[in-house]
Amino acid sequence: MFEFFKRKKNRVVEPIFASLSVDMHSHLVPHVDDGSRSTEETLECMRVMQQVGYKQMYITPHFQYPRFPNKEDDITNRYNRLCDDLKENGVTMQMMGIGGEYRIDDSFADRVANPQFLQIGQKNKYLLVELSLHQIRMGIEETIFDLMMKGYDVILAHPERYPYYSSTSRKLQNLKEQGVYFQCNVLSLSGFYGEAAQSNAYAFIENDWVEFLGTDMHNTMYADALLECAANKKVQKLMQTHTFLNSKELL
């Protein structure tokens, strides 16, 4: 199934993301969202992540109604079974826990009213949220403010990918001033999501808006793109000149 991918994987790759240590955004629990389609695919993705320097990781499946109506208990059970499978296959990546990537959508108010959020961090510190990739939703600032008032440390996933935000967007600046953490996708830096996302990612980093980088790993196509990203000279330079909070101590 993965012969072509494996041939490409044999290239020599520098572990340029070793300074990040922990990946805090991925979709590698099989069959729960648009991520990994099998344990074998998850294994391939993790092996590539280790090649480019990652040592630990969280998995963060989508919670998005009605497309991915996942339940926290079921996701946790599937994650635990996956961890057993990884051990049996000799994967040495340290699994740090199961979180979620929660879409702020029509069902989100119910989630806040009856919180069962899967959070990341050794003290379940951070709540990873995402927005629509197509159109802005009214009341985002108020919703995130309410979360923070309830004690959640909010990380906004891949702000560079939202077409309605830019480095001069007042609404995005408001979120930053509220104390929201930003997490850009590593693959945005090499143009995987297009020129606009790439330009935004670098601009946000230069603005000192970005605390975290995440792979947003889904499948072997993403893994192959991660190998390409690791060989990108501009990305290599950025990793030498910028520091992010992806450390085991902070996560």
Side-chain angles (χ1 to χ4, degrees):
M1 179 178 178
F2 301 119
E3 286 82 1
F4 175 70
F5 174 78
K6 287 179 178 178
R7 283 199 300 271
K8 298 187 79 172
K9 191 182 69 172
N10 288 332
R11 76 190 75 179
V12 176
V13 180
E14 294 295 326
I16 73 163
F17 301 116
S19 63
L20 296 178
S21 182
V22 183
D23 181 44
M24 37 72 68
H25 183 174
S26 66
H27 299 269
L28 295 181
V29 175
H31 306 300
V32 299
D33 55 14
D34 57 346
S36 173
R37 296 157 292 187
S38 67
T39 300
E40 291 75 20
E41 185 160 36
T42 294
L43 291 170
E44 291 292 341
C45 292
M46 288 186 179
R47 286 168 183 145
V48 168
M49 292 173 67
Q50 288 181 299
Q51 273 191 284
V52 299
Y54 290 99
K55 303 175 185 68
Q56 300 96 15
M57 69 180 298
Y58 291 89
I59 301 184
T60 53
H62 287 292
F63 287 82
Q64 176 187 339
Y65 184 83
R67 188 181 179 196
F68 303 116
N70 287 317
K71 303 295 184 183
E72 283 81 1
D73 287 347
D74 179 59
I75 290 296
T76 299
N77 289 335
R78 289 174 181 265
Y79 169 78
N80 289 335
R81 291 197 296 271
L82 174 63
C83 289
D84 291 339
D85 290 339
L86 297 176
K87 290 179 182 177
E88 290 178 6
N89 283 274
V91 175
T92 58
M93 178 79 78
Q94 183 179 359
M95 305 306 294
M96 302 294 289
I98 183 71
E101 182 182 14
Y102 289 89
R103 173 71 64 92
I104 298 181
D105 54 19
D106 291 341
S107 70
F108 195 74
D110 292 336
R111 291 192 182 279
V112 176
N114 301 283
Q116 300 181 50
F117 294 117
L118 295 176
Q119 296 170 249
I120 61 176
Q122 293 190 58
K123 298 181 179 179
N124 294 325
K125 178 180 174 71
Y126 300 106
L127 177 62
L128 183 67
V129 302
E130 68 167 340
L131 310 178
S132 169
L133 292 171
H134 305 292
Q135 59 184 12
I136 194 167
R137 182 181 180 87
M138 301 300 293
I140 291 296
E141 294 170 38
E142 291 80 2
T143 298
I144 292 182
F145 178 78
D146 288 344
L147 286 172
M148 298 177 77
M149 288 298 97
K150 291 178 183 295
Y152 295 103
D153 291 317
V154 178
I155 301 177
L156 179 61
H158 44 63
E160 76 279 6
R161 296 185 61 199
Y162 305 124
Y164 41 82
Y165 286 150
S166 70
S167 59
T168 59
S169 168
R170 184 65 242 177
K171 288 184 176 296
L172 196 61
Q173 291 180 47
N174 288 342
L175 293 178
K176 197 71 241 176
E177 290 167 5
Q178 282 180 229
V180 177
Y181 296 96
F182 286 1
Q183 173 257 306
C184 281
N185 284 359
V186 168
L187 295 183
S188 292
L189 300 173
S190 56
F192 182 76
Y193 302 98
E195 292 182 3
Q198 183 181 34
S199 176
N200 279 341
Y202 279 101
F204 295 167
I205 290 171
E206 291 304 318
N207 284 354
D208 291 325
W209 282 2
V210 180
E211 288 84 11
F212 298 99
L213 291 182
T215 65
D216 202 356
M217 180 66 67
H218 278 64
N219 52 44
T220 51
M221 180 181 72
Y222 283 66
D224 190 53
L226 186 62
L227 290 174
E228 298 285 351
C229 185
N232 184 294
K233 298 298 184 184
K234 188 174 182 180
V235 177
Q236 291 174 358
K237 181 177 180 180
L238 181 139
M239 294 308 303
Q240 293 170 358
T241 56
H242 287 74
T243 301
F244 301 93
L245 300 186
N246 297 64
S247 73
K248 186 176 179 180
E249 290 72 27
L250 293 172
L251 276 172

